[in-house]
Amino acid sequence: MAEGEVAPVSYEDLALIEEEFAEVDDEVQRKQHELSKPLYAKRAEAVSKIPNFWPLVMEQAPMEIEDYITPLDSAIFAEHLTNLTVTRPELEEGKSGNPKTFTIKFEFSENEYFEDKVLEKTFWHRRAADDWVGLVSEPVKVHWKKGKDSTDGLTDAALALFEARKKVGDFRSTSVPEYKALEKKVEANGGNTSFFTWFGWVSNRRFVTAEESEKANKEHAQRKAARKAGKKPDAAEIEKEAEKEEAEEEDEEDDSMVEVHPAGEEIAVTISDEMWPSAIKLFVQAQEAEDISDIDMEELDDEDVDDAEDEPVDIRSLVQGKEKRSRDSSGAPPPKKAKK
């Protein structure tokens, strides 16, 4: 290279830098998990003394989730949701695994809709053989009581397909009869937007097993190490990468016809990254909204309204069991209004 000439920068070089940023983000998340774990335990103990804490948090769900909560779902949450927990299974017990993998657990009281006291769903952050990276999850069985299935059988059908593919050892199979059965059900009931259909979500693309992901991660690490060492891809590697890109394009919509919930990943990430860490803030917002609804706005002038908005919520009085006048005798928050 001539003196003063600047070495060219390839897309591979830029991709390596991006990956290094991602690695830093992962390390930050691991450290944050370690530091915040005792705080979440402290919060759990405190909010367990507040009636209807989690139902009120769900009442303040962002639009990404609210759009998929039907009036029936809202009633179930308002009357029977007792706890919500987000954990990072690959970081538990001192592990230094992937912080992007998480588990969401809902706990319910005895109810007329389903038998389950706990509904738990894990979202695994995995890499496919063609280098696609994203979240995947196994369908969760909801044991609905007779005539109460708000998903119209979609979650059961999703689980049936997953088990059928698992049995034949091919999670891409479209030849098992359960595939056609679910495809028809999705086409017929595609408008079902019940939140509980979310428990049947698998992937925005296709399911990736732990074994496939482990192998793909090893190969990816080897390629990355070679790039860092300055090795340029040879013709065979370039051809292999091109084949992977073609396969990725072919697989991109693999399971779109049998995916029961279009926003499964978005809902999961919103709960884990927004609602879970901000639960107290959302609860306070719910209390403030209820306080304002109790006020006859016509009897207040602008100055009074400003004062009411500035007044902080006394959480201590809530812990001591203070009940709002607008609630019924059970202490349950009012259900959401029916969506138009």
Side-chain angles (χ1 to χ4, degrees), residues 58 65 88 111 199 214 281 315 326 329 334:
M58 289 299 295
I65 295 177
R88 308 277 170 177
N111 62 79
F199 285 99
E214 183 179 3
K281 178 181 177 181
I315 296 181
S326 62
S329 59

Coordinates of all heavy atoms in Angstrom, one line a residue, residues 58 65 88 111 199 214 281 315 326 329 334:
M58 N -51.4 -4.1 34.6 CA -51.9 -4.6 33.3 C -52.8 -3.6 32.7 O -52.9 -3.4 31.4 CB -52.5 -5.9 33.4 CG -51.6 -7.1 33.6 SD -50.3 -7.3 32.3 CE -51.3 -7.8 30.9
I65 N -49.5 -4.0 23.7 CA -50.2 -5.1 24.4 C -51.7 -4.9 24.5 O -52.5 -5.8 24.3 CB -49.6 -5.3 25.9 CG1 -48.1 -5.7 25.7 CG2 -50.4 -6.3 26.7 CD1 -47.4 -5.9 27.1
R88 N -34.5 -14.3 34.0 CA -33.5 -14.6 32.9 C -32.8 -16.0 33.2 O -31.8 -16.0 33.9 CB -32.4 -13.5 32.9 CG -33.0 -12.1 32.8 CD -33.3 -11.7 31.4 NE -34.1 -10.4 31.4 CZ -34.5 -9.8 30.3 NH1 -34.2 -10.3 29.1 NH2 -35.2 -8.7 30.4
N111 N -60.3 -19.7 39.2 CA -61.2 -19.0 38.3 C -62.1 -19.9 37.5 O -61.8 -21.1 37.4 CB -60.5 -18.0 37.4 CG -59.5 -18.7 36.5 OD1 -59.9 -19.2 35.5 ND2 -58.2 -18.7 36.8
F199 N -49.8 -17.3 24.2 CA -49.2 -18.5 24.8 C -48.9 -19.6 23.7 O -48.1 -20.5 24.0 CB -50.0 -19.1 25.9 CG -49.9 -18.2 27.2 CD1 -51.0 -17.4 27.5 CD2 -48.8 -18.3 28.0 CE1 -50.9 -16.6 28.6 CE2 -48.8 -17.5 29.2 CZ -49.8 -16.7 29.5
E214 N -26.7 -24.0 19.1 CA -25.3 -24.2 19.6 C -24.3 -24.4 18.5 O -23.2 -23.8 18.5 CB -25.3 -25.4 20.6 CG -24.0 -25.6 21.2 CD -24.0 -26.8 22.2 OE1 -25.0 -27.5 22.3 OE2 -22.9 -27.1 22.8
K281 N -44.1 2.4 38.5 CA -44.5 3.6 37.7 C -45.9 3.4 37.1 O -46.7 4.3 37.2 CB -43.4 3.9 36.7 CG -43.8 5.1 35.8 CD -42.7 5.4 34.8 CE -43.0 6.5 33.9 NZ -42.0 6.8 32.8
I315 N -48.2 5.9 48.3 CA -48.1 4.5 48.2 C -48.2 3.8 49.6 O -48.7 2.7 49.7 CB -46.9 4.0 47.5 CG1 -46.9 4.6 46.0 CG2 -46.7 2.5 47.4 CD1 -45.7 4.2 45.2
S326 N -64.0 4.2 44.2 CA -64.7 3.8 42.9 C -64.6 2.3 42.7 O -65.2 1.8 41.8 CB -64.0 4.4 41.7 OG -62.6 4.1 41.7
S329 N -66.9 -3.9 46.3 CA -66.5 -4.4 47.6 C -65.4 -5.4 47.5 O -64.8 -5.7 48.6 CB -67.8 -5.1 48.2 OG -68.2 -6.1 47.3
P334 N -61.8 -1.6 38.0 CA -62.8 -1.7 37.0 C -62.2 -2.3 35.7 O -61.1 -2.1 35.4 CB -63.2 -0.3 36.7 CG -62.0 0.5 37.2 CD -61.4 -0.2 38.3

